[in-house]
Amino acid sequence: GENVEQHPSTLSVQEGDSAVIKCTYSDSASNYFPWYKQELGKGPQLIIDIRSNVGEKKDQRIAVTLNKTAKHFSLHITETQPEDSAVYFCAAIVGAGSYQLTFGKGTKLSVIP
Amino acid sequence: DARVTQTPRDKVTEMGQEVTMRCQPILGHNTVFWYRQTMKQGLELLAYFRNRAPLDDSGMPKDRFSAEMPDATLATLKIQPSEPRDSAVYFCASGLLVSGVTEAFFGQGTRLTVV
């Protein structure tokens, strides 16, 4: 089955700096890679996703890149703000119509004012 | 603002008692997932429904867990009897198949504590 590794497990950045979280996956058939943000006491919130036919996707301060050859994808947050502090999860899904998301272990991001 | 609604938000129960968790998926979504989150295991898929039919419950302990969708607006996850190791946050997510993949949207979760 799919295996998703996520690094780092914790990340502290100064407000205004950039943050990068990286994930690797094992199954070359994986074709969908969402990122979730989870705040304390809340459910994971889908913030951005990318499909295997795209190399990069941006949404305001958030971007995701995908390298299919190396089987890794990354989340980039620019101009970080205190409200970006949360746990971020990457995930991967395999196959057309597939449903099972395999999650990374999460990255706790702290943005220091 | 469409969202997945879960009840209760918190549940404390004694070992051996029955626990029922409820989920109202986003209107129009035809897919429902149940996940369990623990510090040790992270997010684990317990069950999956499409068009109210259970398609995969391989992640659930069959002897004590059951999941159903009595109608399109309600999904339930039941544990009977509950055990301390069931203590976790249980999330329901709903989704829609879009261009070959299902985007999943999570509810706020039910925090279960079994004492």
Side-chain angles (χ1 to χ4, degrees):
Chain A
E2 177 64 281
N3 184 45
V4 176
E5 300 282 340
Q6 183 172 348
H7 299 280
S9 56
T10 59
L11 179 60
S12 290
V13 298
Q14 290 292 136
E15 182 177 356
D17 287 350
S18 295
V20 181
I21 302 170
K22 298 181 179 181
C23 290
T24 59
Y25 59 98
S26 59
D27 194 328
S28 57
S30 292
N31 63 351
Y32 174 64
F33 307 91
W35 285 88
Y36 288 84
K37 174 185 181 182
Q38 187 174 23
E39 297 175 313
L40 197 62
K42 296 186 177 181
Q45 176 192 5
L46 179 65
I47 56 172
I48 195 168
D49 56 19
I50 191 167
R51 297 171 190 241
S52 59
N53 58 349
V54 175
E56 183 176 2
K57 184 177 179 181
K58 284 185 180 180
D59 183 3
Q60 299 183 336
R61 297 186 297 108
I62 294 174
V64 57
T65 59
L66 172 64
N67 183 326
K68 285 167 49 180
T69 303
K71 290 191 284 188
H72 66 71
F73 56 112
S74 300
L75 177 71
H76 304 252
I77 306 173
T78 58
E79 301 172 21
T80 53
Q81 301 168 3
E83 52 264 38
D84 295 329
S85 297
V87 179
Y88 291 81
F89 293 94
C90 63
I93 198 168
V94 180
S98 184
Y99 56 90
Q100 182 152 358
L101 285 168
T102 300
F103 285 89
K105 292 295 186 185
T107 297
K108 184 176 181 180
L109 173 65
S110 299
V111 179
I112 304 164
Chain B
D1 184 24
R3 62 181 68 183
V4 176
T5 303
Q6 289 187 247
T7 56
R9 291 296 312 276
D10 285 279
K11 176 72 175 179
V12 179
T13 191
E14 292 185 346
M15 183 173 61
Q17 295 297 306
E18 178 179 298
V19 175
T20 299
M21 291 169 270
R22 293 177 173 80
C23 168
Q24 180 177 6
I26 295 172
L27 189 65
H29 283 190
N30 65 347
T31 305
V32 170
F33 307 86
W34 283 104
Y35 281 87
R36 176 170 63 185
Q37 186 176 40
T38 61
M39 288 297 294
K40 187 176 181 181
Q41 299 294 334
L43 280 158
E44 303 173 277
L45 179 67
L46 298 177
Y48 159 70
F49 291 77
R50 175 154 286 165
N51 297 321
R52 294 177 55 201
L55 295 189
D56 186 353
D57 61 1
S58 59
M60 285 199 316
K62 298 292 190 302
D63 55 339
R64 300 184 299 107
F65 284 58
S66 62
E68 295 179 345
M69 273 202 79
D71 61 59
T73 65
L74 177 64
T76 62
L77 179 66
K78 188 176 294 186
I79 307 174
Q80 168 62 23
S82 57
E83 298 181 0
R85 59 179 166 149
D86 301 328
S87 297
V89 182
Y90 291 80
F91 288 104
C92 173
S94 73
L96 200 59
L97 187 63
V98 176
S99 300
V101 297
T102 299
E103 302 175 351
F105 298 87
F106 284 75
Q108 298 283 53
T110 294
R111 180 178 297 276
L112 175 65
T113 304
V114 183
V115 298

